[in-house]
Amino acid sequence: IAISGARTARAAEAARELLSAGAEALVSIGLAGGLDPRLGPGAVIVAERVIAWHQPLPSGRRRLRLGDLARRPEDGEEETASDAPIPEQAETEFAADPDLQSQLLGVIGDKTWSGAVVGVDQAVRSQDQKLGLFAKTTALACDMESHAVAEAARDADVPFVVLRIVSDPSNRYIPEAAIAGVTAVGGVSLGAVLRGVAIRPWDLPELLSLAFDARIAFGALRRVARRSAPLFRAVG
């Protein structure tokens, strides 16, 4: 296990270190920011593919159609091309391993979402940016590690899978203090957060809401991680 601390470069380095140590598959697991307005805190995503987004974050809201927000088809139903907007081609896409996806879905058991996850090189903080990225890609969520892990897996010709839990939904703004508080080992520096609140005290309500969402997300992450642990050991 390697911890990237929400840092893209560290995620790439850690993935290469794991591969050098003999890993036969890579798993990108952790929290994510919601892009699809249907997903709330604690939503479980097993990604079908990862989009590497190296372009500037989109801004400006697109008027979403009712079909964009419709529930995903139930098992046995087919989704037509008119059910969702056609995503624009991003720079790079990586397909997750279907066998690992299937095994992961089998051991999790809970309701999960399948679709794309966008890997970004900077935090997607505002509702405007989140909805703009959703309009461009139709991806379920975004994180700062999965594209680095996917690229390392592709270069080493090993399978990868992505398991992510939505922490901040699409309507949640992330204050600067929350970003500054994330440490290199994935923890939270209370001192950094308090310094940020002292500078921008009006961000405190958003920080409290973000903390509440994160508590839900970490609970879901612990639950699915425990269920998935035997599979992770089996695939290395």
Side-chain angles (χ1 to χ4, degrees):
I1 297 174
I3 300 174
S4 66
R7 288 164 170 77
T8 303
R10 174 55 191 153
E13 180 184 3
R16 291 191 295 267
E17 290 173 353
L18 291 171
L19 290 166
S20 297
E24 298 176 356
L26 294 177
V27 181
S28 175
I29 181 171
L31 303 185
L35 301 180
D36 190 321
R38 296 172 294 176
L39 276 62
V44 181
I45 299 171
V46 177
E48 296 173 346
R49 67 187 192 281
V50 174
I51 302 171
W53 187 272
H54 299 301
Q55 308 170 39
L57 293 177
S59 61
R61 299 189 184 189
R62 189 202 70 168
R63 185 180 296 276
L64 298 176
R65 299 178 300 163
L66 291 178
D68 297 353
L69 305 182
R71 290 176 58 86
R72 65 174 183 174
E74 300 294 335
D75 293 340
E77 296 179 355
E78 293 185 357
E79 181 177 6
T80 65
S82 62
D83 287 335
I86 299 174
E88 295 186 8
Q89 183 64 39
E91 294 182 9
T92 311
E93 290 194 10
F94 306 91
D97 184 79
D99 291 335
L100 291 182
Q101 290 178 61
S102 178
Q103 293 179 59
L104 194 54
L105 290 169
V107 297
I108 291 176
D110 290 344
K111 177 183 176 181
T112 59
W113 295 81
S114 296
V117 166
V118 179
V120 291
D121 299 325
Q122 59 182 298
V124 183
R125 297 176 52 198
S126 70
Q127 180 183 24
D128 187 50
Q129 291 174 335
K130 291 177 181 179
L131 292 180
L133 201 53
F134 176 63
K136 292 287 187 181
T137 66
T138 69
L140 298 173
C142 61
D143 67 52
M144 298 177 65
E145 303 89 23
S146 290
H147 60 314
V149 173
E151 184 174 359
R154 180 202 60 188
D155 293 346
D157 195 25
V158 301
F160 80 94
V161 69
V162 175
L163 174 58
R164 290 280 161 170
I165 311 296
V166 172
S167 180
D168 51 296
S170 64
N171 65 341
R172 182 72 67 219
Y173 166 72
I174 304 178
E176 180 62 35
I179 303 299
V182 178
T183 69
V185 294
V188 176
S189 169
L190 183 58
V193 173
L194 292 177
R195 285 192 294 271
V197 173
I199 296 172
R200 298 173 60 90
W202 53 87
D203 280 341
L204 182 58
E206 283 291 345
L207 278 169
L208 294 176
S209 297
L210 192 66
F212 181 77
D213 290 344
R215 183 176 181 180
I216 296 172
F218 275 115
L221 180 60
R222 283 191 292 269
R223 183 177 68 252
V224 298
R226 290 191 186 105
R227 293 179 181 177
S228 306
L231 172 62
F232 295 160
R233 287 196 295 269
V235 301

